[in-house]
Amino acid sequence: GSFAVGSGSNVNVYGTLEISGSATLNSSLRIFPGGKVIIDGNLTVVSSNNLVVGTSVAPPPYADLVVKGNLISQTSGDVTINRNGRVAIS
């Protein structure tokens, strides 16, 4: 199903998170080195800096984000991809 991070919540991913539907971020989703998020639908980022992939630590391990739909930015929805972050959008 779908996945939503509500306002004021924070989700930190260190393992694997698979979402079979779409995802909406109204608050922070951070993917740390060794973590992987796979989204079968669209990913909507609402407001600033709610999606952070990786850290400033030299790679590896990598932090991975795979979106099998669209990446949508609403209301200045910023996405930060740090030096050990990898992103694939198809």
Side-chain angles (χ1 to χ4, degrees):
S2 297
F3 177 81
V5 179
S7 181
S9 301
N10 294 311
V11 175
N12 296 323
V13 179
Y14 296 93
T16 300
L17 173 61
E18 295 186 48
I19 301 166
S20 61
S22 294
T24 302
L25 305 179
N26 287 298
S27 197
S28 177
L29 173 67
R30 295 180 182 273
I31 307 168
F32 287 89
K36 183 175 192 174
V37 174
I38 303 166
I39 302 170
D40 287 339
N42 295 329
L43 172 59
T44 303
V45 181
V46 182
S47 297
S48 62
N49 215 27
N50 282 339
L51 176 60
V52 178
V53 182
T55 63
S56 60
V57 176
Y62 292 97
D64 295 313
L65 171 64
V66 177
V67 180
K68 297 179 181 177
N70 296 309
L71 176 61
I72 303 162
S73 172
Q74 290 182 348
T75 318
S76 72
D78 296 335
V79 176
T80 301
I81 303 165
N82 288 307
R83 64 188 275 191
N84 61 357
R86 299 185 295 190
V87 175
I89 302 170
S90 59

